[in-house]
Amino acid sequence: MKQQEPKYISLVNWIKEKISARELHPGEKLYSENELSGMFGLSRQTVRHAMGILEAEGLVERIRGSGTYIGSRRGTVRRRTMNIAVVSTYVDGYIFPPTLQGIVQTLSGAGYMTQIAFTNNRVDNERKILEGILEKDNVDGVIVEATKSALPNPNLEYYRELQKRQIALLFFNCVYPELRAPIVALDDIRVAEDAMEYLFSQGHRKIGGIFKADDGQGRLRYAGYVEALLKAGLGVDDRKILWIDTEDQKTLRNISSSVLRRLTDCTAVFCYNDEVAYGLVELLRKEGFRVPGQLSIVSIDGSELSLLAEPKITSVPYPMEELGQKAAKNMIRLIDEPDFDGSFLFRPAILIRDSVRKVGGSG
């Protein structure tokens, strides 16, 4: 008498047949356990056993809290397209052209074509770009700068879909904390600490801060600012801290009263970046304040703007082209080695210029 086939085998064979017939595609979400139980008249435990066998063979991948998907990094290899999408917030500005140049030249040297798009730091633009990438499905990887990364993002589902399709994903400058994805960026916490420690070395103790509220880098630089104050045995005074958004950053003069009120009792200020620092120098000059005579300034980026200011601004440099090159190199390796940890953080030394003066111990 022929031995009866175990119940779970029918489900395993059905899914294998659907994959072979290309009726189920890599990255496609499979029916839920409840749905499969009803379809095949099986218990959920039996369905779960079948899924375990398929997962061990690399044919499906179970993602906690999301569901079961066809294919996995272990079992399915995407066809190479030699295309990589690059998504940046802006096309202009003092940082973006050199960084993008570093990315494009490095990818081109390795034989990859690039598709470049810009969100203008708007989540609706980001959504349209990601929808287009997923619809065309013709890239091996996506290098992306997060949009307003300190705020809840409505587009995370698109990034998760890229990951499910085994499209390599790497962020530069900032990343959404909800995603498990590599990032190439400045070590924002540490470089902010370094800038603060330089101010301490020049005798400053009453140090204000201007940070971006809608930007993950702003939050990290604030964390470094706070950490440095606490390590130095100084308290954090919220009255000396100003939070701005992307629009405020461009026109500090429109919030001049808030800026001056926050910095009234300070001898120095740590600025989110050179654009903020340059705007602050201009604002203070118009209001009759002397830099560094009445207020010393440090910043991050070490850009051309920091050299155009009068006085030239002491700043931690952003390795623009080098960071772009590193992001591209790590992306190439991620495509070849999906389990590679593609994260890398830069920590350049501060560039000392003319915007900081030495003060006495009571400064």
Side-chain angles (χ1 to χ4, degrees):
M1 182 177 177
K2 187 178 178 181
Q3 189 174 3
Q4 189 174 3
E5 193 175 67
K7 291 182 178 180
Y8 67 85
I9 291 294
S10 60
L11 177 54
V12 169
N13 288 339
W14 181 81
I15 291 175
K16 285 182 176 181
E17 288 167 9
K18 292 290 184 183
I19 293 173
S20 296
R22 298 185 182 276
E23 293 177 37
L24 291 173
H25 305 283
E28 185 175 339
K29 190 171 184 177
L30 195 57
Y31 299 106
S32 69
E33 287 183 1
N34 280 338
E35 289 171 327
L36 290 170
S37 294
M39 290 166 61
F40 287 86
L42 302 173
S43 69
R44 287 189 63 186
Q45 185 175 353
T46 301
V47 171
R48 202 170 292 131
H49 181 56
M51 293 302 105
I53 290 171
L54 290 165
E55 187 171 35
E57 295 181 19
L59 295 173
V60 303
E61 184 172 11
R62 290 184 283 189
I63 300 176
R64 189 178 184 88
S66 179
T68 301
Y69 296 83
I70 299 300
S72 72
R73 288 190 184 275
R74 294 189 305 257
T76 307
V77 178
R78 279 182 62 87
R79 180 178 59 83
R80 289 289 177 90
T81 67
M82 299 307 290
N83 292 320
I84 292 177
V86 180
V87 183
S88 177
T89 51
Y90 296 110
V91 63
D92 54 3
Y94 55 82
I95 281 179
F96 300 102
T99 303
L100 294 175
Q101 183 179 7
I103 292 173
V104 172
Q105 286 183 346
T106 303
L107 292 177
S108 177
Y112 285 90
M113 299 290 290
T114 53
Q115 306 170 10
I116 303 178
F118 304 96
T119 66
N120 290 312
N121 212 27
R122 289 176 47 180
V123 294
D124 56 338
N125 289 340
E126 179 187 47
R127 176 177 286 262
K128 290 173 187 173
I129 291 166
L130 293 173
E131 285 176 343
I133 291 171
L134 288 167
E135 184 179 349
K136 292 176 183 176
D137 197 22
N138 66 346
V139 298
D140 299 324
V142 180
I143 301 174
V144 58
E145 181 185 31
T147 295
K148 294 183 178 173
S149 52
L151 304 179
N153 185 280
N155 301 326
L156 297 181
E157 61 186 288
Y158 294 97
Y159 289 108
R160 294 191 177 108
E161 180 63 25
L162 288 171
Q163 292 175 319
K164 288 169 193 169
R165 294 189 190 183
Q166 302 156 41
I167 296 171
L169 179 63
L170 182 142
F171 285 81
F172 70 99
N173 287 344
C174 45
V175 64
Y176 301 114
E178 299 90 345
L179 294 176
R180 291 184 59 189
I183 178 172
V184 174
L186 275 182
D187 190 342
D188 290 296
I189 294 177
R190 300 282 83 84
V191 297
E193 271 195 275
D194 293 343
M196 290 292 288
E197 285 171 7
Y198 176 69
L199 289 175
F200 296 151
S201 74
Q202 300 305 298
H204 294 277
R205 297 296 179 268
K206 298 176 182 177
I207 304 170
I210 303 178
F211 302 97
K212 275 192 71 179
D214 56 359
D215 183 330
Q217 291 172 286
R219 301 297 181 91
L220 293 173
R221 291 172 190 181
Y222 170 73
Y225 165 89
V226 168
E227 205 168 310
L229 287 171
L230 296 179
K231 282 182 181 178
L234 302 171
V236 179
D237 186 348
D238 288 338
R239 294 169 298 179
K240 293 183 173 67
I241 298 166
L242 179 68
W243 289 96
I244 61 174
D245 62 17
T246 300
E247 296 308 312
D248 293 332
Q249 176 179 324
K250 298 172 184 175
T251 54
L252 275 185
R253 64 182 178 275
N254 292 346
I255 55 168
S256 59
S257 59
S258 296
V259 175
L260 296 174
R261 184 174 68 252
R262 296 286 184 176
L263 303 179
T264 296
D265 191 37
C266 299
T267 64
V269 57
F270 171 79
C271 291
Y272 165 78
N273 68 4
D274 287 348
E275 185 176 357
V276 173
Y278 182 88
L280 180 60
V281 169
E282 291 296 295
L283 171 61
L284 292 172
R285 181 176 57 80
K286 289 175 182 175
E287 295 291 334
F289 288 85
R290 300 188 313 279
V291 177
Q294 291 170 275
L295 190 70
S296 292
I297 296 175
V298 296
S299 178
I300 290 180
D301 283 345
S303 68
E304 203 171 298
L305 268 182
S306 66
L307 295 173
L308 292 173
E310 185 56 50
K312 295 178 176 62
I313 299 167
T314 294
S315 185
V316 179
Y318 173 101
M320 304 175 199
E321 193 167 348
E322 187 183 357
L323 189 144
Q325 292 168 348
K326 185 66 174 176
K329 288 175 183 176
N330 284 12
M331 168 54 70
I332 293 166
R333 188 167 171 188
L334 275 168
I335 292 169
D336 293 330
E337 305 172 42
D339 295 327
F340 167 63
D341 180 4
S343 291
F344 187 87
L345 298 179
F346 289 85
R347 190 178 181 179
I350 193 167
L351 299 172
I352 298 170
R353 296 185 178 133
D354 307 321
S355 62
V356 177
R357 75 180 181 98
K358 196 172 183 69
V359 298
S362 60

